[in-house]
Amino acid sequence: MSDERKNAKHKAAMEKQKSKVDANIEAADEERGVAILLTGNGKGKSSSAFGMVMRALGYGHKVGVVQFIKGQQLSGEEIYLKEKCPDVTFYQMGTGFTWDTQDRTADMQAARDTWAVALPMLRDPSYNLVVMDELTYMLAYKYLPEEEVIKAIRERPREQSVVVTGRGGGTALQDVMDTVSEVKEIKHAFKAGIKARQGVDY
Ligand code: ATP
Ligand code: MG
């Protein structure tokens, strides 16, 4: 195929694509916050959530971040938000829950205490964005009542967006979310013996 033909073909394809996108933009006329679930086995769920935190902060939006996992080690996002973004409400479960813990009662209490921080944010219209990082595990282990979590997400202020991360999540949670993305693992450096990297993995 000549370059000229290739270019003409490409142009036609791009125009077709553009008209499709334009039609979708035209059709979207509802203005409200969105609920996003980032799930799947691949790397990129929490980092995507923190990407949205950065976007929101760029516009001076009010942001809350609640992490439903005990930090095995400090993460860059925690350091940055605590040190440089005093306006961001940051809370981490901190105690109780670890993967190898035997103390289910303590885990449940820690989950409930953390939920008690997240819930008021989901009821506070001054928050533009609320991130609940690794929340899905709390539902999977039944540390938190799924109906209550789903109800709080559904009944949140109209302008508020919420991002939930974590593997799994279940169909009831997926149903209440507007956007659900699955990060699929194709490969991961860790499996080739490469250590988790500061500033990239944590
Ligand atoms: P990230 O925080 O890097 O976006 P994530 O939120 O998608 O990752 P988690 O399950 O929360 O994934 O895992 C957190 C940590 O585990 C990160 O250090 C991440 O690089 C690493 N990790 C994520 N996915 C995998 C995987 N498939 N295999 C091994 N390690 C992984
Ligand atoms: Mg994560």
Side-chain angles (χ1 to χ4, degrees), residues 69-138:
I69 201 156
K70 181 179 171 174
Q72 299 293 79
Q73 53 188 333
L74 218 55
S75 66
E77 59 267 25
E78 179 179 0
I79 297 167
Y80 187 79
L81 291 177
K82 280 185 175 166
E83 284 182 9
K84 315 273 188 202
C85 306
D87 295 342
V88 174
T89 317
F90 183 91
Y91 184 85
Q92 195 180 71
M93 193 149 70
T95 53
F97 184 85
T98 59
W99 294 115
D100 52 11
T101 182
Q102 301 298 316
D103 193 347
R104 192 165 175 274
T105 317
D107 290 350
M108 288 183 90
Q109 191 55 51
R112 282 202 212 94
D113 293 347
T114 309
W115 176 241
V117 175
L119 185 57
M121 292 183 192
L122 294 171
R123 288 176 173 160
D124 182 348
S126 75
Y127 281 96
N128 302 95
L129 178 68
V130 177
V131 173
M132 293 186 283
D133 195 28
E134 320 297 347
L135 173 69
T136 57
Y137 305 103
M138 304 299 107

Side-chain angles (χ1 to χ4, degrees), residues 41-47 134 137 167 185 188 190 200-201:
N41 294 332
K43 169 180 164 61
K45 301 173 288 295
S46 297
S47 22
E134 320 297 347
Y137 305 103
R167 293 164 199 218
E185 180 183 302
H188 194 287
F190 180 70
V200 174
D201 289 302

Side-chain angles (χ1 to χ4, degrees), residues 12-85:
M14 293 308 280
E15 273 165 5
K16 203 171 155 193
Q17 176 71 9
K18 186 180 180 315
S19 64
K20 251 194 220 166
V21 173
D22 286 350
N24 287 343
I25 291 170
E26 191 73 26
D29 57 3
E30 199 181 343
E31 192 92 50
R32 64 168 175 85
V34 287
I36 301 168
L37 172 64
L38 302 166
T39 186
N41 294 332
K43 169 180 164 61
K45 301 173 288 295
S46 297
S47 22
S48 167
F50 286 103
M52 282 179 268
V53 168
M54 193 169 87
R55 281 187 176 161
L57 292 176
Y59 290 104
H61 292 179
K62 185 165 174 183
V63 175
V65 176
V66 180
Q67 292 192 302
F68 285 85
I69 201 156
K70 181 179 171 174
Q72 299 293 79
Q73 53 188 333
L74 218 55
S75 66
E77 59 267 25
E78 179 179 0
I79 297 167
Y80 187 79
L81 291 177
K82 280 185 175 166
E83 284 182 9
K84 315 273 188 202
C85 306

